[in-house]
Amino acid sequence: MTDKTRVLIVDDHPMVAEGIRAILETYDDLLVVGTLSNGREAIDQVEALDPDVILLDLNMPQVNGLAATEMILERRPDTRILILSMHDSGEYIATALNHGAMGYLLKDVPTEEVKRAIDTVMAGSLYMCTGAAASLRPSLGFGREALTSREQTILLELAQGRSNKDVAVALDISVRTVETHRKNIKRKLGISSTAGLTRYAMEHGVLQGTGTGR
């Protein structure tokens, strides 16, 4: 067995993908499991390649980065996705996070920052490069419908990676009830994936004190 973090690079510009690969392969604790050129390939091959982290370009042919993020996370909700992009607008970044990405990197970041981003999301935290964080701040006013106390409790459970069945057992309610609450939470927050719920919970302090780090 290996403790190396498995990384998949998905970018439709071969020089970009191979450049990132060359950089990441210099780190002993990383294993690049492949470079792909579009979102469709990533969706089709994610099970076989089994990545821990995917560096995913936002604008690609066939299936773009946002759609690919959603579909990959439906299949493999524990996968950490870092969006790679030239776009630094707050709307792009907020949309990527709401689709379930755990981080956002502009393509002109220093090489060591890519490694830092991978380590951060592997530790369970959100990562924003400096340029992205500055652009995102004005867009973070997700003024959504308030969650009930029960929904907040269930959000905490789901954000820690627990299944609907696990939550139902823990709270002594039916799986169907959990599913209903989950749908309502996603609707109220405008979030479409479990990873997006986790990101929201981290950003808004829901996960504070739950011991996500060591």
Side-chain angles (χ1 to χ4, degrees):
M1 289 192 59
T2 177
D3 291 324
K4 292 186 177 183
T5 298
R6 298 172 62 85
V7 182
L8 174 62
I9 302 164
V10 187
D11 194 300
D12 64 326
H13 296 94
M15 288 184 65
V16 173
E18 290 303 323
I20 295 172
R21 180 178 195 136
I23 293 162
L24 297 185
E25 285 181 339
T26 66
Y27 294 96
D28 293 337
D29 58 342
L30 299 182
L31 174 65
V32 179
V33 296
T35 56
L36 303 175
S37 61
N38 63 69
R40 171 50 60 193
E41 289 181 344
I43 295 160
D44 291 343
Q45 297 187 43
V46 68
E47 298 281 357
L49 294 173
D50 189 30
D52 300 305
V53 177
I54 301 176
L55 296 172
L56 189 63
D57 190 10
L58 197 59
N59 294 324
M60 293 182 293
Q62 297 190 39
V63 179
N64 66 40
L66 295 179
T69 295
E70 280 199 342
M71 286 186 268
I72 288 168
L73 292 175
E74 284 297 321
R75 298 184 184 193
R76 294 175 54 87
D78 292 335
T79 306
R80 279 83 162 179
I81 294 181
L82 277 165
I83 294 294
L84 287 170
S85 179
M86 295 180 296
H87 301 287
D88 63 355
S89 79
E91 288 183 10
Y92 270 99
I93 300 164
T95 301
L97 297 177
N98 273 336
H99 276 70
M102 286 191 69
Y104 199 100
L105 285 169
L106 297 176
K107 289 189 175 182
D108 60 356
V109 298
T111 55
E112 63 270 15
E113 188 160 5
V114 179
K115 175 63 163 62
R116 186 160 61 246
I118 291 170
D119 292 342
T120 299
V121 298
M122 280 300 295
S125 297
L126 186 74
Y127 189 88
M128 293 280 103
C129 71
T130 303
S135 297
L136 183 60
R137 281 188 203 105
S139 304
L140 270 179
F142 296 117
R144 308 291 184 181
E145 187 179 344
L147 299 182
T148 66
S149 58
R150 172 58 93 183
E151 287 168 347
Q152 290 178 22
T153 300
I154 290 174
L155 171 60
L156 174 59
E157 296 286 330
L158 295 174
Q160 294 180 82
R162 299 193 173 106
S163 67
N164 289 349
K165 185 177 180 181
D166 292 338
V167 177
V169 171
L171 301 180
D172 194 26
I173 56 180
S174 71
V175 173
R176 178 164 291 190
T177 299
V178 176
E179 290 172 350
T180 299
H181 281 304
R182 187 184 193 129
K183 288 178 182 175
N184 288 338
I185 291 167
K186 286 183 174 180
R187 176 184 58 78
K188 287 183 177 182
L189 299 180
I191 292 172
S192 57
S193 69
T194 300
L197 292 178
T198 303
R199 178 205 60 77
Y200 178 92
M202 288 189 297
E203 277 204 344
H204 292 77
V206 178
L207 286 179
Q208 287 179 358
T210 55
T212 54
R214 284 199 280 179

